[in-house]
Amino acid sequence: MKLWPEALAGRLFLALALAACAIAALAQLVSERDAVAAAVARPKAAPQPRPVRQIVPVPAVAGRILLSSSPQIVPAEPAPVVQLLADGTEVLRRAPPLPEGPQAAALLPGEAVIVLPAATLGQLTPDARGALVELIGRLVRERPVPATRFATLDFRMPVADLERLLAWVY
């Protein structure tokens, strides 16, 4: 029995079959090598889910809102005191007084304090700035929010920056 056929058609068919097998084997070898190189070069990082921000339920206040960057200098009287963290999470440091009735729960008579994670507005992270706008929207009912409702303790913010920030409150 001969391995190589004598007819031209048989030889062409055998050469074509051998070439197809060689090409398939080379393609498989190259794809495996590329996959290993890609896995070594840059390991796949799982996408990090955005953390869910904690939102503190606070009632609206009738008085001023004090802005501070340090919880140590917050006066003893105002409540609620809400601290914003750099990731936009809200932490209730001093709870608002309990309402005396259904109508009193709608609007607190005193002041509120927001403790921020930086000393100026420009140093706040985008998450903290967004949380600040949302918190102001819950603490102040008037629209547009007047800049006169705000006072700073040790937080430095020009009035123009405050007005620009308050324009985002909806």
Side-chain angles (χ1 to χ4, degrees), residues 38-169:
V40 169
R42 50 188 152 81
K44 292 183 179 179
Q48 298 294 327
R50 280 188 69 84
V52 178
R53 284 190 329 177
Q54 253 185 332
I55 295 179
V56 175
V58 290
V61 294
R64 295 182 311 165
I65 296 175
L66 307 174
L67 301 174
S68 173
S69 64
S70 173
Q72 288 80 17
I73 67 163
V74 173
E77 302 83 38
V81 175
V82 180
Q83 182 175 7
L84 289 179
L85 303 180
D87 66 351
T89 303
E90 300 174 8
V91 179
L92 186 64
R93 296 292 178 201
R94 189 179 305 148
L98 295 174
E100 296 176 8
Q103 296 297 337
L107 189 65
L108 292 177
E111 298 178 331
V113 178
I114 301 174
V115 180
L116 298 161
T120 64
L121 185 64
Q123 294 173 340
L124 292 177
T125 63
D127 289 332
R129 233 177 283 145
L132 175 62
V133 169
E134 290 177 15
L135 181 59
I136 290 171
R138 292 193 313 261
L139 287 172
V140 181
R141 285 221 176 127
E142 303 143 87
R143 298 297 186 266
V145 179
T148 56
R149 293 276 311 269
F150 293 84
T152 59
L153 297 174
D154 64 340
F155 187 78
R156 296 184 309 271
M157 182 171 8
V159 176
D161 289 349
L162 176 63
E163 289 173 348
R164 208 171 348 194
L165 178 76
L166 295 178
W168 286 92
V169 178

Side-chain angles (χ1 to χ4, degrees), residues 13-27:
F13 177 74
L14 188 60
L16 182 63
L18 287 174
C21 289
I23 289 172
L26 283 173

